[in-house]
Amino acid sequence: CQQLSLAVGITLLGRLSEAYGRVPPNSPGRYAFPQPEDVLTTSPQQLRQLGFSDRKARSIIAIAHAIANELVTSTQLDTLDDNAATNMLTSLPGIGRWSAEVYLMFCLGRPDVWPAGDLGIILGTQYLLNLPDKPKPAELIAAAEAWRPHRTAAALLVWDHYMVAITARRAAAKAEKLPKSK
């Protein structure tokens, strides 16, 4: 979902899963990632037909190539510290810092990752600390130092706080638009 909304990312993942027959038909919400070998038999045009941009399609194929040729493996990533693993992942086409950090958190189970560039983290921290403005990256990093070495857990709590706050704000805005009863 890097630089995509969650809804678009989920839709594209569903299409990709279905295209490779890895998910039973009519199984909403169930997805499976294709194997690198599957992707390497696919052209960028075929991925574009599924809704991927040309750039994302080329990135997916390049990442599949790197995995299939063991240029990047989970065993290698497991042996690296967070910074080195992030650098290895961001060396792949189309993988930015946010994607690498989320991979470290959710796939590798790293306990001390703080995705300071994530909008949910930015706004969640603003709401949590009752800041008048969005915190700058340096402020976010400084605020998270207090949570070291458990910044992944802190990030999960900040994301949850953000979701609760944004849901409450939307409900309040909706309530204000409703006609007043007599």
Side-chain angles (χ1 to χ4, degrees):
C1 293
Q2 182 174 314
Q3 298 183 350
L4 297 174
S5 73
L6 182 59
V8 170
I10 289 170
T11 298
L12 291 174
L13 176 58
R15 290 178 186 166
L16 197 60
S17 295
E18 288 175 16
Y20 292 101
R22 301 255 179 221
V23 175
N26 302 317
S27 299
R30 296 192 55 213
Y31 307 107
F33 291 97
Q35 296 301 303
E37 297 76 21
D38 295 335
V39 174
L40 291 174
T41 66
T42 307
S43 70
Q45 179 58 28
Q46 289 169 305
L47 290 172
R48 285 191 47 72
Q49 289 172 350
L50 294 175
F52 290 88
S53 69
D54 188 56
R55 187 173 183 172
K56 287 255 187 235
R58 291 184 188 286
S59 294
I60 289 168
I61 292 169
I63 292 166
H65 173 61
I67 293 169
N69 291 294
E70 297 184 351
L71 303 174
V72 174
T73 68
S74 58
T75 303
Q76 290 170 320
L77 291 169
D78 282 341
T79 64
L80 300 173
D81 66 27
D82 293 346
N83 196 38
T86 299
N87 289 338
M88 177 178 271
L89 289 167
T90 58
S91 73
L92 297 170
I95 300 294
R97 184 163 189 87
W98 179 86
S99 292
E101 290 169 340
V102 168
Y103 185 84
L104 290 176
M105 293 171 73
F106 293 105
C107 296
L108 298 181
R110 300 290 177 97
D112 195 35
V113 179
W114 181 249
D118 181 86
L119 185 59
I121 293 293
I122 294 166
L123 294 175
T125 302
Q126 178 186 2
Y127 301 157
L128 183 66
L129 301 178
N130 203 25
L131 302 173
D133 299 311
K134 290 180 192 173
K136 305 269 187 274
E139 294 171 305
L140 278 170
I141 292 167
E145 281 303 310
W147 301 318
R148 190 182 287 274
H150 307 289
R151 291 180 300 169
T152 294
L156 295 172
L157 292 169
V158 170
W159 274 322
D160 190 59
H161 180 76
Y162 167 71
M163 292 307 298
V164 169
I166 202 73
T167 300
R169 287 171 183 235
R170 286 178 182 157
K174 187 176 179 180
E176 282 185 16
K177 291 181 182 177
L178 294 174
K180 306 291 182 201
S181 60
K182 296 181 182 184

